Amino acid sequence: MKTWINGEFVNWEDAKVPILSHGFSRGTAIFEVVDIVCAQKGPAFFGLDAHMKRFFNSAAYMHMDLPLSAEEMIQACMDTARKNDISYGAAKFFAYYSADVIPHDKKIDIAIFCMDFGMPKTEKLQLPPPVTVCVSSYRKSHPESVPVHAKATGNYVGGYLAKMEAKEQGFDDVIFLDTMGFVA
């Protein structure tokens, strides 16, 4: 699989981020995940314009100046899907500071991955089995503490901890509440 990084295609196993990068060590990377579906005229991104708008909104929340326009990002996504001959799958794209710990130069790197899931076999529709859930002791971050509307990697730590807590208690899934006690 080929990965698009800052305008170049590299093998996905060669796509690396420095361990002390701000995006990795501080959770400031932003991302989006978009389905690639089979359409009448061939593979298509499902809702790419809306995902791209949210990506750029996330960048604004995180005070990131993206080095590409939305149109250039869309073209890079399409190029990456074509390069990997994707017919059914997903694209995941990131913007992040690869600079060590504190990004003094504010240079933003962009990475795009497109993965093919293969065509699923058609089967008779079956309802999923019931699941057990619990209410987590963790809470979603308050909007005045961090930009919770940004799809930033650090914003997902609470949800991860809530899910792990539920699994450790023997539940299938979790109900996550906000700081006011409402379902998040």
Side-chain angles (χ1 to χ4, degrees), residues 39-78:
Q40 217 171 28
K41 294 181 181 179
F45 289 89
F46 187 80
L48 183 56
D49 289 337
H51 283 277
M52 199 58 68
K53 183 177 179 182
R54 185 167 66 178
F55 187 69
F56 275 78
N57 285 341
S58 292
Y61 283 126
M62 300 299 290
H63 304 278
M64 294 174 128
D65 282 326
L66 297 180
L68 300 174
S69 68
E71 294 78 21
E72 291 169 320
M73 281 290 299
I74 288 171
Q75 186 61 54
C77 287
M78 292 190 305

Side-chain angles (χ1 to χ4, degrees), residues 3 5 34 37 39 42 49 54 60 71 73-74 77 79-80 87-88 108 113 119 125 133 139-141 145 169-171:
T3 301
I5 299 179
V34 183
V37 298
D49 289 337
R54 185 167 66 178
E71 294 78 21
M73 281 290 299
I74 288 171
C77 287
D79 292 346
T80 306
S87 60
Y88 174 71
I108 303 291
F113 297 84
M119 291 300 295
L125 179 64
V133 297
R139 296 287 193 257
K140 183 175 177 74
S141 298
S145 62
Q169 293 177 12
F171 294 96

Side-chain angles (χ1 to χ4, degrees), residues 136-175:
S136 177
S137 65
Y138 294 99
R139 296 287 193 257
K140 183 175 177 74
S141 298
H142 192 278
E144 292 177 0
S145 62
V146 294
V148 296
H149 301 297
K151 197 156 177 160
T153 54
N155 288 349
Y156 288 80
V157 173
Y160 167 78
L161 293 172
K163 183 80 168 188
M164 296 308 297
E165 176 186 50
K167 292 286 185 188
E168 288 172 3
Q169 293 177 12
F171 294 96
D172 298 314
D173 214 334
V174 65
I175 297 171

